Amino acid sequence: MNIRKNVLICEADTRQRELICQSLGGEGLNLIVTENMYQAFHQIEHITIDMLIVPLKAERIEGLTLLDAATRLHPDVGVIFITAPNVLETDIGIKAMLAHEGTYFVYKPLNPVHLKALLQKSLKNQRLTYENKQLRSQIDEKEGLCRLTGNSPQLIQIREMITQIAPTKATVMIYGARGTGKELVARAIHHRSLRQGNLIAFNCATLNENLAESELFGHERGAFSGAYNQRKGRFELAHGGTLFLDEVSQLSLANQARLLRVLEEREFERVGGDKTIQVNVRIVCATNNDLEAACSKGEFLHDLYDRLNVVSVHLPTLQERVEDIPLLVNDFLEEFSRENRKVLRTLTPEAVRTLMKYNWPGNVRELKNCVEGLVVMSTEELLQQEDLPERILNAASEINGGITSVPTLHTADTRNNSPSRLNVEVGMSLEDINREVLRATLAYTGNNKVKAAKILDISRRTIQRKVKEYGLCDE
């Protein structure tokens, strides 16, 4: 079903408005007619505008001003300016030509046939532009590069490496801790490669030796108990494409030897079979272990290590690229708000700073799960620091020694008129010092926990928790 395009017409001259409407009346368009800037602004704010038809400059109407307002809310809007030919040589005409890529001009006196043809051309180009953007977006998402979010030097270097090595035939080893995005990198390498086959993934740590052999190389019917039918393995499924072996260090030595043979001979036999199957597969591996150390211990074959480690990509932990956290948070907020059909959630700057203080042992995966939980459980559009998980608030507080700073307090305690001085002595434990700082700050603020939290640069929830933990409730 075709969706009717919304065409906003802004024209003060009654005869000109009528002529435009008569020209476009039979085109299946939703014509929105306005007489002045105020009416046009109102429509732009409340309706999605696909096309704007407006004088470039006329009494009570500034075409460029309307275009600027429209593109702010509807970036893909097209525009047809009504003007005299000689106006294009003036400053305003040049500004109009440079203002927007979807700009067209129709000259006075208005020719209905010309206007209709120009509108059809504009809408067609607009559709093609939209389809091209969608296609580029799908390609980028498929390639995975757009999902490697971040502007840190490490991420920029990794994206450059992927672009360089993807078109080659070299095997790739991806090193990185859990949750750093090893499979994302593997997918980006595959989809930027020249290979026509599929990307097939296999986690080497999930199965024992015999089942892993069957998964990788397939089996014939009756090869073992439960093998009721012939089954193709991951190598056959990846023929012409890429096989991604995650946690490759977990393969048994026997399966490592079989893998080495496939890399060298480009052929194998299914379990229980004698037919040699030739394959053309590119191998991309990943591990969070030190393979050189594993080779030294006899846990990993030296020859296989040499064959797999032709090109190595080292992924940083999230803590090593902490400046990427705000960008990642925004991406995840948008993703999960859309998935859960919620209004787009946002985090306060204080909450983002707290996330940046946390060490993220689970890296990007842990951050992603955290943001998903925030979106799912949220009832407000603006998420506060207090909405963060308790473990993150606790860790952020501990990183800063429990209490982030020691305030200078000179005001009298509002309850007993005694100065709010810190009773800190040599030999006190860090916990006792934190308790004393919190007690003095609460005294300084008249037990106002909101003000105390602001002074100490911690959350109100942390204040409440520490008050209970330190037994300050009745003091």
Side-chain angles (χ1 to χ4, degrees), residues 252-267:
S252 68
L253 288 173
N255 281 331
Q256 289 178 36
R258 297 184 183 101
L259 175 58
L260 178 60
R261 185 205 165 196
V262 177
L263 289 173
E264 292 178 340
E265 305 295 335
R266 300 290 177 179
E267 60 184 29

Side-chain angles (χ1 to χ4, degrees), residues 61-290:
I61 295 177
E62 294 283 347
L64 282 175
T65 303
L66 277 179
L67 176 61
D68 182 63
T71 52
R72 288 171 187 255
L73 294 175
H74 319 294
D76 295 323
V77 67
V79 60
I80 297 176
F81 285 125
I82 303 172
T83 185
N86 59 349
V87 172
L88 296 184
E89 300 176 3
T90 65
D91 288 346
I92 189 172
I94 294 172
K95 287 181 180 178
M97 287 186 284
L98 298 175
H100 190 55
E101 62 180 12
T103 302
Y104 295 86
F105 297 89
V106 62
Y107 305 123
K108 298 176 182 178
L110 197 63
N111 184 322
V113 176
H114 184 207
L115 175 62
K116 183 185 297 186
L118 196 60
L119 180 65
Q120 291 174 346
K121 179 181 179 181
S122 178
L123 290 174
K124 179 181 179 181
N125 289 341
Q126 188 183 63
R127 185 182 72 252
L128 291 174
T129 300
Y130 174 78
E131 290 174 353
N132 286 338
K133 286 183 178 179
Q134 290 292 100
L135 181 59
R136 286 197 299 270
S137 176
Q138 290 171 9
I139 291 173
D140 282 343
E141 183 173 358
K142 186 179 179 183
E143 289 172 347
L145 284 183
C146 70
R147 303 190 68 185
L148 293 171
T149 301
N151 291 325
S152 62
Q154 298 96 320
L155 259 291
I156 293 173
Q157 183 180 16
I158 287 169
R159 284 196 288 264
E160 290 174 351
M161 284 189 66
I162 290 171
T163 302
Q164 182 176 354
I165 66 179
T168 72
K169 297 180 179 180
T171 57
V172 181
M173 179 66 73
I174 305 170
Y175 295 93
R178 64 185 179 91
T180 49
K182 296 188 288 292
E183 186 167 350
L184 275 181
V185 172
R187 292 186 179 280
I189 291 171
H190 170 72
H191 291 299
R192 285 232 163 195
S193 72
L194 304 177
R195 307 192 69 80
Q196 300 299 312
N198 296 323
L199 171 72
I200 303 296
F202 176 65
N203 190 319
C204 302
T206 57
L207 299 173
N208 62 34
E209 178 180 329
N210 293 331
L211 290 178
E213 180 186 13
S214 173
E215 282 293 321
L216 286 173
F217 307 108
H219 60 254
E220 299 291 350
R221 180 180 179 181
F224 51 83
S225 177
Y228 301 114
N229 297 295
Q230 183 193 80
R231 182 180 180 184
K232 292 183 178 181
R234 304 299 172 101
F235 268 97
E236 284 183 83
L237 296 174
H239 178 64
T242 304
L243 178 60
F244 173 54
L245 299 177
D246 197 7
E247 302 302 338
V248 67
S249 63
Q250 300 302 309
L251 278 178
S252 68
L253 288 173
N255 281 331
Q256 289 178 36
R258 297 184 183 101
L259 175 58
L260 178 60
R261 185 205 165 196
V262 177
L263 289 173
E264 292 178 340
E265 305 295 335
R266 300 290 177 179
E267 60 184 29
F268 65 93
E269 293 81 33
R270 298 191 189 106
V271 177
D274 54 11
K275 178 183 176 181
T276 300
I277 301 170
Q278 295 184 337
V279 288
N280 175 16
V281 175
R282 182 186 191 174
I283 302 295
V284 177
C285 298
T287 183
N288 59 7
N289 293 325
D290 185 343

